[in-house]
Amino acid sequence: MIKKILISQPKPTSDKSPYYSIAEDFGVEFVFRPFIKVEGLSSKEFRQQKISITSFTAVVFTSRHAIDNFFKIAQEMRFEIPDTMKYFCVTETISLYIQKYVQYRKRKVFFGTTGKIDDLVPLMAKHKNETYLVPLSDVHDDSVKKMLDAKGLNHSECVMYRTVCNDLTEEEIKNFDYDMCVFFSPSGVAAYKKAFPEGTNPPMKAATFGPSTSKAAHDAGLDVQVEAPSPKYPSMTSALRRFLIDNEEE
């Protein structure tokens, strides 16, 4: 019986999160505890990439982390962001976050609707004369570069932040009593395995989001019972709900 589930992400900011309705419908307890955290590069580390922010007329943001660390590094390097700088964001929510640092002007802020970079590229292609900077995590592939190259856009990618393990404390390891743990990245699986080396991991079921996370969990020998997204269950919450319904019927 599944009664206590650890979600390896921060607690939702909205009371309307689907996790809360699942908790109410199935009588399960959700505990939110990130296994990974993001830390920004120092200006010294950034300089080693030989990227000059002053050379760019537009920035592409795929997350709030990218926004925070772009403006942090700009401040550390004493680079004043010009009013003419344009910002392209994968969602409107991310675009609104820019207000934390600069005055929001619709004529220089553009955003996609699906949350995927694929949706943003056609919009960027309408501004072919811009020189794009794309801040990324240290964990990324060449997919963004290939998409922008295919459109003939002038761009450069750079690393501005990294993902590191948010280690469990000795107390958390000692009192680890979850029936299921939900993972969202291979880094999260690695953090769990660091806390529970081979032969010491507690008997629990696992849920994973994304093919790379699923592979990491299977490779780590975890009992993977839920894998999302899928055509029928595109979100982790919808996949979890289905699993809990099936679990009740057994």
Side-chain angles (χ1 to χ4, degrees):
M1 184 69 72
I2 304 295
K3 284 297 179 185
K4 192 174 182 182
I5 302 176
L6 177 62
I7 307 293
S8 59
Q9 280 191 331
K11 188 176 181 178
T13 54
S14 169
D15 292 338
K16 296 179 180 178
S17 167
Y19 285 113
Y20 296 131
S21 61
I22 291 174
E24 187 175 335
D25 292 345
F26 296 93
V28 298
E29 177 188 357
F30 285 112
V31 176
F32 298 90
R33 202 288 185 190
F35 282 177
I36 58 174
K37 59 185 177 182
V38 173
E39 62 179 29
L41 268 63
S42 66
S43 54
K44 180 181 179 181
E45 290 174 310
F46 180 74
R47 284 192 186 95
Q48 292 173 358
Q49 298 178 73
K50 303 190 185 308
I51 293 281
S52 173
I53 296 177
T54 57
S55 304
F56 299 91
T57 60
V59 192
V60 181
F61 291 130
T62 57
S63 69
R64 292 184 181 185
H65 293 306
I67 294 174
D68 284 334
N69 287 289
F70 170 78
F71 286 101
K72 178 181 79 73
I73 284 177
Q75 183 179 32
E76 287 179 5
M77 298 177 71
R78 297 182 179 177
F79 169 59
E80 191 170 337
I81 310 292
D83 289 338
T84 54
M85 184 71 83
K86 292 180 180 178
Y87 305 99
F88 292 77
C89 308
V90 291
T91 66
E92 183 177 13
T93 302
I94 291 173
S95 75
L96 291 171
Y97 189 69
I98 294 174
Q99 293 177 102
K100 182 177 177 181
Y101 297 98
V102 294
Q103 187 175 355
Y104 190 96
R105 294 195 184 115
K106 287 186 177 179
R107 63 181 173 81
K108 65 174 185 177
V109 180
F110 308 87
F111 54 85
T113 55
T114 65
K116 296 180 179 179
I117 190 76
D118 317 48
D119 179 51
L120 192 61
V121 173
L123 188 57
M124 294 167 62
K126 293 180 180 178
H127 299 263
K128 269 190 173 290
N129 294 330
E130 304 298 337
T131 304
Y132 293 96
L133 178 65
V134 188
L136 296 169
S137 162
D138 61 330
V139 181
H140 67 272
D141 55 27
D142 289 334
S143 57
V144 173
K145 180 182 186 305
K146 289 176 180 176
M147 277 188 276
L148 302 190
D149 283 345
K151 291 291 183 181
L153 297 174
N154 187 357
H155 65 94
S156 293
E157 291 72 45
C158 66
V159 173
M160 282 194 171
Y161 52 101
R162 62 172 70 91
T163 302
V164 298
C165 289
N166 187 16
D167 293 342
L168 274 72
T169 64
E170 288 186 13
E171 190 71 16
E172 286 175 317
I173 294 171
K174 180 183 175 183
N175 297 313
F176 200 93
D177 59 348
Y178 301 96
D179 302 307
M180 173 175 272
C181 186
V182 183
F183 299 95
F184 293 88
S185 71
S187 301
V189 175
Y192 172 81
K193 291 304 293 180
K194 183 179 178 182
F196 299 101
E198 198 67 40
T200 67
N201 52 302
M204 60 150 212
K205 301 184 187 305
T208 61
F209 191 84
S212 59
T213 308
S214 176
K215 182 180 185 305
H218 281 290
D219 290 348
L222 301 183
D223 181 13
V224 181
Q225 294 286 319
V226 179
E227 296 182 61
S230 68
K232 279 186 89 171
Y233 306 107
S235 67
M236 176 51 72
T237 48
S238 62
L240 267 180
R241 180 176 284 276
R242 179 71 259 172
F243 172 77
L244 291 170
I245 289 171
D246 293 342
N247 199 252
E248 277 192 334
E249 293 172 352
E250 290 179 357

